[in-house]
């Protein structure tokens, strides 16, 4: 099976460990186990030290599945299975349901896995290109033009990586009606769901509105525990059964340690999301103020999620800019070219306010040479 290089992940691997200011991070400032202990009365250390390191619950404990279901309005434990992060969740959905010759629709720019992985399976892929002048939001007409009689799945990432933009409930319902007419699945990677700094509420999940919707998420982005590598899939029971059969070839289990700690994180999600909301809200306000005084950069700042897509107004390819900027200032970005869009940089609202402020100040100082 041939597959294209996963450009954004390659860039992160090659560059993120050699910087002073990581302004492109997608995960809200990671928490330690000591910090997690402050959210609960359970003795985490004692439980872990007495835990037997066997495989643990193969498809996830009942406690963990109940904690996950608290994020949704519908469903039961048979609608959930556990994975190694959302990236493994997306892979398991697609490899379990898609066949060579199936047609899928995805957005561009978006997380590369959502269109290149289906390509590697022999699927026909139609990309809907998002327009920055339209705030990176597609129209239902775009999907009506793209859909075909053999469309098997619509693959989405909402809130989107790298733009951060989120599809509204009204748009969701329009697209669901279209999917129903064509009897196709909707797969949505909802890993950035949970930090809407405008409504202060968790946005709707596709899985609560459509019987053929499949959603994925993990503890990494808004829950600040990327190191646990615990994700999940929520979908129709027959789809989950199919995935669980495939799953045995890929991961067996997530292990008792991740399962237990995942329970603690999700059972204290309100406090953790409140922290994430505060960090993202402060940094969105900071970025907005910075852009108002920085003529060489513009941005559609989204309501939800942890990232956005900066547009810079100088004549330099994004990879060249990122390499020079990091070498000369220590400021690290992911270049837009890794998402197939030049003259853009992915920005994360995820680090402490003062850290981000210092990084942006250095970026502005570096940009002075182009004024």
């Amino acid at each position: 099976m041939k597959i294209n290089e996963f450009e954004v992940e390659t860039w992160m691997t090659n560059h993120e460990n050699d910087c002073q200011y990581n302004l492109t991070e997608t995960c809200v400032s990671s928490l330690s186990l000591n910090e997690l202990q402050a959210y609960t009365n359970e003795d985490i250390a004692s439980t872990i030290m007495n835990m037997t390191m066997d495989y643990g619950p193969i498809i996830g404990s009942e406690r963990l599945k109940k904690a996950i279901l608290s994020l949704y309005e519908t469903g039961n434990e048979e609608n959930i299975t556990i994975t190694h992060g959302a990236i493994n969740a997306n892979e398991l959905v697609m490899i379990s349901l898609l066949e060579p010759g199936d047609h899928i629709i995805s957005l561009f720019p978006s997380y590369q896995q959502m269109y290149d992985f289906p390509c590697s399976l022999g699927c026909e892929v139609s990309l809907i290109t998002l327009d920055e002048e339209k705030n990176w939001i597609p129209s239902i007409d775009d999907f009506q033009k793209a859909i075909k009689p053999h469309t098997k799945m619509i693959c989405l990432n909402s809130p989107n990586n790298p733009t951060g933009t989120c599809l509204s409930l009204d748009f969701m319902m329009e697209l669901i009606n279209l999917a129903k007419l064509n009897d196709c699945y909707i797969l949505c990677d909802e890993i950035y769901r949970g930090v809407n700094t405008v409504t202060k509420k968790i946005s709707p999940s596709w899985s609560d509105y459509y019987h053929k919707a499949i959603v994925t998420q993990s503890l990494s982005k808004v829950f600040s525990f990327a190191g646990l590598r615990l994700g999940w899939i929520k979908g129709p029971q027959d789809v989950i059964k199919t995935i669980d059969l495939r799953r045995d070839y890929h991961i067996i289990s997530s292990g008792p340690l991740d399962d237990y700690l995942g329970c603690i994180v999700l059972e204290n999600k309100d406090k953790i999301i409140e922290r994430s909301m505060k960090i993202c809200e402060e940094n969105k306000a900071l970025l907005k103020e910075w852009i108002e005084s920085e003529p060489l950069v513009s941005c559609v700042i989204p309501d939800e999620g942890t990232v956005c897509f900066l547009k810079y107004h100088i004549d330099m390819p994004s990879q060249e800019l990122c390499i020079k900027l990091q070498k000369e200032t220590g400021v690290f970005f992911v270049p837009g070219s890794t998402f197939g869009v030049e003259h853009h940089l992915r920005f994360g609202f995820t680090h402490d306010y003062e850290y981000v402020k210092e990084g942006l100040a250095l970026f502005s100082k570096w940009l002075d040479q182009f004024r």
Side-chain angles (χ1 to χ4, degrees), residues 2 13 20 49 58 134 201 205 222 230 259 264 305 313-314 351 357 362:
K2 294 182 179 179
T13 299
Q20 186 176 358
M49 294 303 291
I58 298 301
K134 297 178 181 178
K201 297 178 181 178
S205 170
V222 303
L230 193 143
D259 192 296
I264 302 298
H313 305 281
I314 61 175
H351 280 293
K357 185 177 180 179
L362 280 173

Side-chain angles (χ1 to χ4, degrees), residues 116-149:
D116 266 352
F117 192 79
C119 277
S120 75
L121 299 176
C123 294
E124 177 189 350
V125 178
S126 294
L127 292 178
I128 294 173
T129 301
L130 303 177
D131 187 343
E132 189 166 12
E133 293 183 359
K134 297 178 181 178
N135 294 326
W136 302 112
I137 299 295
S139 71
I140 196 65
D141 288 344
D142 294 328
F143 285 91
Q144 289 171 335
K145 292 174 182 176
I147 206 157
K148 299 181 179 183

Side-chain angles (χ1 to χ4, degrees), residues 5-16 26 87 111-113 161 192 221 334 338-339 346:
E5 179 184 353
F6 207 149
E7 294 188 39
V8 65
E9 298 299 342
T10 299
W11 188 272
M12 295 287 287
T13 299
N14 291 340
H15 297 278
E16 69 177 328
T26 58
I87 194 166
Y111 197 52
Q112 187 177 339
Q113 185 189 28
N161 176 15
Y192 295 96
K221 309 303 181 184
V334 165
T338 63
F339 293 96
R346 188 182 68 189

Side-chain angles (χ1 to χ4, degrees), residues 36 43 74 116 126-127 200 249 327 341:
L36 181 61
D43 188 342
T74 64
D116 266 352
S126 294
L127 292 178
K200 303 295 194 296
Y249 285 93
K327 182 179 180 180
V341 182

Side-chain angles (χ1 to χ4, degrees), residues 236-255:
Q237 290 183 16
D238 62 325
V239 169
I240 296 300
K241 286 181 180 179
T242 299
I243 290 169
D244 280 341
L245 291 174
R246 169 75 69 167
R247 195 176 168 279
D248 289 337
Y249 285 93
H250 292 263
I251 67 170
I252 301 181
S253 75
S254 58

Side-chain angles (χ1 to χ4, degrees), residues 176 179-186 205-214 236:
I176 285 169
K180 284 180 180 178
L181 288 173
N182 292 271
D183 192 33
C184 61
Y185 293 105
I186 295 177
S205 170
W206 291 85
S207 66
D208 289 328
Y209 292 88
Y210 180 40
H211 70 286
K212 293 193 74 170
I214 307 160

